[in-house]
Amino acid sequence: MSPIHSINQAQALPALATNKMIRNTYMLLSMTLLFSALTAGAAVAMNLPHPGMIITLIGYFGLLFLTTKFRDSTLGLAFVFALTGFMGYTLGPIVSHYLGLPNGGQIVMTAMGLTGAIFLGLSGYALASRKDFSFMGGFLMVGILVGFLAGLGAMFFELPGLSLAVSAIFVLLMSGLILYETSNIIHGGETNYIMATVTLFVSIFNLFTSLLHLLGFMNSNE
C-alpha cells in the first residue's frame, strides 16, 4: 500500500463518520419532529389543557435526563421519542390558544414557515461553509440560562414586556444554537446523534414558540 493511499484512506474515515453522523441526526430529527407534530395535533383536536409549569418542567428535565443517561443504547431512542412527544403535547394547548385569536391560523402558519426557513437556512449555511462556531458555546450557555430565568420571572410576576423581550432574545439564541450544534456535528464536537437530535429539536421548538409569541403580540396590536 502506497503512503499516499494510506493518507487518503485516513482522511476518508473521519469524513465517512461525519457523513454518517449527519445522516443519522437529520433522519432522527425528521422522525421526532413528525411525532411531536402528531402529538401536538392530537392535543389540539382533543382540546387538552396545558399540564402547567411544574409538570412541564419535571417532565422535560426528567425525560432529558433519561435520554442523556441512555444515549448510547436503543433505550435512548425510546426516551428521545418520549421527550419530543411530551414536548409536542405541551405545545398543543399553546397552538390552540393562538388558533383562537383573530387570524390565528395565519399566525401559526407564519411562525411555522419562519421556523423552517431559519432552521434550513442556518443549518444549510453551517453545512456548506464548514465554519467552526464552537466559540459561541459559552455565550449561548449563559444566554439561555439567563433567558430561561428571565422567562420564569416574567411568568410568575406577570410582566408582559419582559416576556416579549425574552421571546425576541430566544429567537436569536436558538438561531445561534442551530449554528453551534450543526458546527459541532461537522467538526466532531458532538458524536452522539441522539444528543445532537435533542439539541436541534429543542432549538426548533423554542424558536417556534418564541416566534408564535412575537407574531401573536404584533397581530393583537394591528
Side-chain angles (χ1 to χ4, degrees):
M1 184 181 292
S2 69
I4 294 176
H5 180 74
S6 299
I7 292 171
N8 290 338
Q9 190 176 44
Q11 290 174 340
L13 288 175
L16 287 172
T18 299
N19 290 336
K20 183 180 179 182
M21 175 70 179
I22 292 170
R23 183 173 64 252
N24 288 344
T25 298
Y26 282 92
M27 187 179 298
L28 183 58
L29 180 63
S30 299
M31 290 189 290
T32 53
L33 285 170
L34 178 60
F35 182 62
S36 182
L38 290 173
T39 57
V44 171
M46 292 186 285
N47 199 26
L48 296 177
H50 195 277
M53 182 55 65
I54 294 176
I55 294 176
T56 298
L57 291 176
I58 292 173
Y60 171 73
F61 285 109
L63 289 169
L64 180 60
F65 169 79
L66 291 170
T67 302
T68 305
K69 183 177 181 180
F70 295 101
R71 63 186 179 274
D72 295 317
S73 68
T74 53
L75 197 56
L77 286 172
F79 282 122
V80 80
F81 276 100
L83 172 63
T84 55
F86 175 75
M87 292 177 72
Y89 157 59
T90 64
L91 180 62
I94 297 172
V95 172
S96 292
H97 167 73
Y98 285 100
L99 287 174
L101 298 177
N103 301 320
Q106 183 179 349
I107 293 171
V108 172
M109 293 305 296
T110 302
M112 194 179 299
L114 286 173
T115 301
I118 292 170
F119 174 74
L120 292 174
L122 292 175
S123 59
Y125 173 74
L127 288 168
S129 68
R130 300 274 165 168
K131 287 186 177 180
D132 187 356
F133 291 98
S134 59
F135 65 90
M136 298 172 64
F139 167 77
L140 289 171
M141 185 179 297
V142 173
I144 290 169
L145 178 60
V146 172
F148 175 72
L149 294 175
L152 288 179
M155 183 176 297
F156 284 121
F157 296 107
E158 298 183 356
L159 301 171
L162 178 58
S163 182
L164 279 172
V166 168
S167 292
I169 291 169
F170 258 85
V171 169
L172 297 176
L173 288 172
M174 293 304 106
S175 297
L177 188 57
I178 290 168
L179 281 174
Y180 171 79
E181 188 61 19
T182 307
S183 171
N184 250 0
I185 295 168
I186 296 169
H187 297 286
E190 178 59 81
T191 57
N192 186 286
Y193 72 97
I194 289 178
M195 297 314 299
T197 296
V198 169
T199 301
L200 290 175
F201 181 93
V202 170
S203 301
I204 293 169
F205 182 94
N206 286 322
L207 183 58
F208 175 64
T209 54
S210 296
L211 287 170
L212 263 183
H213 188 198
L214 292 172
L215 290 170
F217 175 78
M218 290 168 62
N219 181 74
S220 66
N221 284 345
E222 287 180 357

